[in-house]
Amino acid sequence: MRLAREGESAVIEVEDTGEGVPVEEQDRLFERFYRASNTNARQIPGVGLGLSITKAIVEAHGGGIGLQSEEGAGTTFRITLPIAPGNPVGVALAQPAAP
């Protein structure tokens, strides 16, 4: 995982060294209930909702999500979120509740 600031955005990258996603399936990966063929073939559990939910949350906060993947070499997911004025990356926007 990586966190960086790019201009007025926070960028979160999550990288793995797994199987990657076939190029012809990458456009569909954020669809509800869609599972890449290589996850189905290997019987990896899941129902295909995680990425669609993540995309909805990120977009509801004014951001975007994408991926870069090479079959056999892993995948990097990249989330970009706007930073509220006056809040540097790494500083919580909400204050903890008083005891």
Side-chain angles (χ1 to χ4, degrees):
M1 287 189 73
R2 292 180 289 278
L3 172 64
R5 181 180 188 136
E6 289 183 5
E8 296 303 313
S9 296
V11 177
I12 303 162
E13 290 184 335
V14 179
E15 181 178 354
D16 69 40
T17 56
E19 294 185 29
V21 180
V23 172
E24 62 275 6
E25 298 180 34
Q26 291 179 13
D27 289 343
R28 299 194 60 206
L29 209 57
F30 295 98
E31 292 177 15
R32 270 187 276 163
F33 303 113
Y34 184 79
R35 291 177 38 87
S37 60
N38 55 358
T39 61
N40 290 326
R42 293 196 62 213
Q43 298 181 350
I44 296 172
V47 294
L49 288 174
L51 288 173
S52 66
I53 291 170
T54 301
K55 181 180 179 189
I57 292 169
V58 168
E59 289 179 349
H61 287 86
I65 184 171
L67 75 129
Q68 180 177 9
S69 186
E70 182 179 335
E71 202 166 1
T75 303
T76 301
F77 289 93
R78 181 179 170 97
I79 297 170
T80 304
L81 294 165
I83 299 172
N87 287 291
V89 170
V91 176
L93 298 178
Q95 297 298 317

